[in-house]
Amino acid sequence: MALKNDCFALPAGVSWTPVDDALADLRARLSPVTSVEAVSLDTAQGRVLAQDIRAPISLPPADNAAVDGYAVAHASLTSDGEQHLMVVEGRAAAGAPFGGTVAKGQAIRILTGAVMPNGTDSVVMDEDVERDGASLSFGSGLKAGANRRKAGEDIAAGDIALTAGTRLGPAELARLASIGVASINTHAPLRVAIFSTGDELADPTETLLPGQIYDANRAMLLALAKAQGVEPIDHGRIPDSPAAIADALTSAARGADAVIVSGGASGGDEDHVSRELSRMGAMALWRIAMKPGRPLALGQIDGVPVFGLPGNPVAAFVCFLIFARPALHRLAGASWPEPVGYPLTARFPARKKPGRTELLRARADGIGGVEKFRSDGSGLIGGLVWSDGLVMLEHARGPVEEGETVRFLPYAGFGLS
Ligand code: AMP
Ligand code: MG
């Protein structure tokens, strides 16, 4: 399922696009591209559900006991005074229901998870009773329905258990298993080809030559992609040559559902990614009003979306989280994820002009405040290591005074640990 070839085309004359507008655009233009396949629960973890699932049964299937004790009919009890009931023969245990009926004035031994026997509706717990042979006594005040789990209180038969677009984690797998759904239609994992560009780049296994730096982005982007539940494919390092970059883009797009490239995305002499993307297919260089983040090149090759991220590792990291991440989730069939954030008190002042979104490497101090990394706009990877999230200063916001409230987006909310 290829995307329309102009899905990233922006109206002419657009200059600095606010982050929210760019995200709304991406969201509107992208749709799932992966095929759908049936899988069993043991291989479903991390997959995206491709169908709504309705519960074939109610859960619990029947009223049952929430504690160990004695099942009684609430109508057998008096509103005050000591209660005296006769314990009947037999018992109800989980997986071993009691076949008979419990008459008024009687009680029956019941264990947690056992189906409530006919004639009973409430359970008095072990800790509250005295038993002497077949006679049971306890105080008044047991509520009708006490210590009883109602049939269908988790989910009723026929109700939606999970919706299409849900990523299947441990809780979702438990829900499917609990209602006896053993096989589901899921999206095949999104294959994401990743490569770095730059004549200066060397592999971490190599010895640096003069003028070289190690390729940090590829390890980072492969890991970022993997953390989103997609299948990263390493396409290596590509020199700043138009032909090599064109070849790399073509072969990456051929074997993947999306491509992520770092470096060479702006309009400079050696910025061939944006140039080759425009030559080869639909391309929109989005001048996004975001710091760090410029430039972000979005394009398509044969209907495969290409995300050209900045070479600066911090900018690549932030652009991935803010733009590529939700886009990958959407392409993978998942619902569009909104960043998870909460307000904290800024323990720092920050210069900020209205008119662009800024993302600061930040760390929650655990007592309601947040600190920012010592150095602002730089490409220091140390700031990524130091931080455990981003402070997002919104488009319209001006300078931040120490003590003001800012929005903190923890990395954990982006699926990172
Ligand atoms: P570019 O976007 O290609 O102009 O790169 C911007 C800055 O990021 C330059 O200083 C590059 O050397 C640096 N850079 C580009 N790619 C990488 C990479 N893969 N790893 C580390 N630094 C990079
Ligand atoms: Mg470069």
Side-chain angles (χ1 to χ4, degrees):
M1 234 194 309
L3 294 168
K4 285 207 308 290
N5 221 28
D6 63 347
C7 91
F8 286 140
L10 274 186
V14 170
S15 48
W16 295 102
T17 310
V19 168
D20 286 347
D21 294 3
L23 285 172
D25 253 41
L26 258 187
R27 184 177 184 166
R29 288 151 194 258
L30 296 177
S31 49
V33 295
T34 46
S35 57
V36 170
E37 56 194 29
V39 295
S40 55
L41 294 191
D42 54 350
T43 51
Q45 182 171 12
R47 291 272 187 131
V48 176
L49 194 59
Q51 60 173 140
D52 288 345
I53 300 286
R54 282 184 189 279
I57 59 161
S58 289
L59 189 70
D63 290 4
N64 67 94
V67 296
D68 288 357
Y70 293 85
V72 301
H74 190 259
S76 300
L77 308 180
T78 54
S79 58
D80 47 27
E82 191 74 359
Q83 313 293 313
H84 298 284
L85 300 178
M86 289 303 293
V87 179
V88 300
E89 286 276 320
R91 63 167 207 174
F98 178 70
T101 296
V102 178
K104 236 185 139 193
Q106 292 183 332
I108 182 167
R109 180 76 181 131
I110 193 164
L111 302 179
T112 305
V115 172
M116 296 292 290
N118 281 336
T120 69
D121 55 21
S122 309
V123 180
V124 54
M125 62 204 283
D126 274 346
E127 291 82 342
D128 293 340
V129 301
E130 275 186 38
R131 182 169 172 183
D132 183 7
S135 57
L136 188 75
S137 48
F138 51 94
S140 61
L142 188 73
K143 294 209 170 68
N147 302 314
R148 173 195 55 175
R149 305 173 180 143
K150 282 293 282 173
E153 75 176 17
D154 195 338
I155 191 165
D159 283 358
I160 296 277
L162 292 173
T163 51
T166 302
R167 200 171 280 278
L168 300 171
E172 290 74 23
L173 293 174
R175 165 144 272 191
L176 292 169
S178 72
I179 54 176
V181 173
S183 167
I184 63 263
N185 287 322
T186 63
H187 290 276
L190 189 81
R191 296 159 307 156
V192 183
I194 294 171
F195 65 91
S196 303
T197 68
D199 283 341
E200 74 278 34
L201 301 180
D203 210 72
T205 56
E206 295 170 340
T207 305
L208 280 189
L209 299 174
Q212 286 189 321
I213 58 169
Y214 287 122
D215 175 4
N217 289 349
R218 196 150 42 95
M220 176 180 80
L221 291 168
L222 288 165
L224 281 168
K226 201 164 179 191
Q228 306 311 316
V230 304
E231 192 179 295
I233 310 168
D234 187 352
H235 279 250
R237 268 177 303 113
I238 310 297
D240 286 319
S241 119
I245 286 175
D247 279 356
L249 286 169
T250 308
S251 82
R254 195 174 297 137
D257 304 307
V259 178
I260 295 183
V261 194
S262 74
S266 51
D269 289 354
E270 296 296 339
D271 291 331
H272 303 295
V273 170
S274 44
R275 207 164 305 121
E276 288 308 304
L277 264 179
S278 347
R279 204 180 53 73
M280 295 166 70
M283 152 80 186
L285 182 69
W286 281 14
R287 289 154 57 86
I288 293 172
M290 172 166 123
K291 182 190 167 193
R294 293 188 305 272
L296 179 68
L298 294 176
Q300 277 179 100
I301 294 175
D302 299 332
V304 174
V306 179
F307 299 82
L309 306 184
N312 176 319
V314 172
F317 183 89
V318 170
C319 270
F320 180 96
L321 292 186
I322 303 297
F323 291 103
R325 172 181 181 266
L328 294 182
H329 280 264
R330 191 71 198 112
L331 291 165
S335 4
W336 181 270
E338 297 293 344
V340 179
Y342 55 91
L344 289 178
T345 302
R347 304 280 191 228
F348 55 85
R351 284 193 295 271
K352 159 85 169 63
K353 281 203 203 104
R356 73 175 177 201
T357 299
E358 292 193 18
L359 294 136
L360 314 175
R361 273 78 68 216
R363 191 147 105 171
D365 66 7
I367 49 169
V370 60
E371 298 161 34
K372 77 175 172 71
F373 189 55
R374 58 183 160 81
S375 157
D376 269 356
S378 74
L380 302 180
I381 294 171
L384 294 180
V385 175
W386 176 89
S387 56
D388 57 17
L390 300 169
V391 159
M392 181 182 246
L393 303 177
E394 300 79 8
H395 189 83
R397 184 161 189 158
V400 177
E401 306 279 353
E402 189 166 345
E404 284 183 7
T405 298
V406 292
R407 194 163 130 83
F408 179 66
L409 315 177
Y411 291 146
F414 295 102
L416 310 181
S417 51

